[in-house]
Amino acid sequence: AQTVTQSQPEMSVQEAETVTLSCTYDTSESDYYLFWYKQPPSRQMILVIRQEAYKQQNATENRFSVNFQKAAKSFSLKISDSQLGDAAMYFCAYRSGETGFQKLVFGTGTRLLVSP
Amino acid sequence: DAGITQSPRYKITETGRQVTLMCHQTWSHSYMFWYRQDLGHGLRLIYYSAAADITDKGEVPDGYVVSRSKTENFPLTLESATRSQTSVYFCASKDRAYEQYFGPGTRLTVT
């Protein structure tokens, strides 16, 4: 079974600084997808970024980028120019690329605090 | 409104009572999911459905029942609520071309 591990329960960053959230995963599959979801205090789960395992290029979405190390099974999220609105829980998630397999496996989350 | 909705948003019930959490989506997505979120566990899959009348167990299905008679609805029933089922419940839907969209969540407290 696939597992996702987030070893940082909480991280802090100052506004305008850069922070990196860590995620490791375990799988024997070669085809899969990785995600970062943001959960602000409103509780809404928001997809931040997606990475396909077959792509070597790291995904980016504006101030959010990932460092995908397939051999090391590592998938970190870098937030640049942090803003107060980035304060939230961040979840790393895995999905198999197997046809018809659409379930997500989540890590336990990292709470990001942003100070002025 | 288009999207995915959950009702109620908050629910307090007593141990042993039956309670149903509703989930409705307007996209006609094939897949629907129920997760529970607990501190220290992230989100864990309870049940999912690939289409109407097709459901399957997830990681933590015990004590829960689901049905999917219509594509747009996926209710989750706790047949006899226990305190360990106090949690925040999220419904999500997905189609092949998109990733999962989550509802706003239901906070359930079992006293």
Side-chain angles (χ1 to χ4, degrees), chain B residues 71-87:
Chain B
T71 300
E72 61 267 29
N73 296 324
F74 191 39
L76 176 74
T77 297
L78 288 67
E79 293 188 302
S80 179
T82 65
R83 289 197 181 89
S84 65
Q85 292 177 310
T86 292
S87 187

Side-chain angles (χ1 to χ4, degrees), chain A residues 15-55:
Chain A
E15 256 187 311
E17 297 295 309
T18 296
V19 64
T20 298
L21 308 184
S22 301
C23 173
T24 59
Y25 59 95
D26 188 27
T27 184
S28 58
E29 299 178 325
S30 57
D31 183 18
Y32 53 87
Y33 299 82
L34 295 165
F35 308 89
W36 280 97
Y37 279 87
K38 172 184 178 181
Q39 186 182 44
S42 67
R43 279 208 314 253
Q44 183 68 51
M45 294 289 287
I46 302 165
L47 178 61
V48 174
I49 201 163
R50 175 180 115 150
Q51 175 77 45
E52 294 91 336
Y54 63 85
K55 288 188 177 179

Side-chain angles (χ1 to χ4, degrees), chain A residues 45-91:
Chain A
M45 294 289 287
I46 302 165
L47 178 61
V48 174
I49 201 163
R50 175 180 115 150
Q51 175 77 45
E52 294 91 336
Y54 63 85
K55 288 188 177 179
Q56 292 189 340
Q57 187 172 8
N58 289 323
T60 61
E61 287 288 341
N62 300 314
R63 297 182 296 107
F64 298 87
S65 62
V66 298
N67 184 4
F68 174 47
Q69 301 289 327
K70 191 172 184 178
K73 295 180 181 174
S74 171
F75 182 61
S76 60
L77 175 70
K78 185 171 83 170
I79 305 174
S80 304
D81 186 24
S82 296
Q83 301 175 358
L84 293 176
D86 295 334
M89 283 290 290
Y90 286 83
F91 292 96

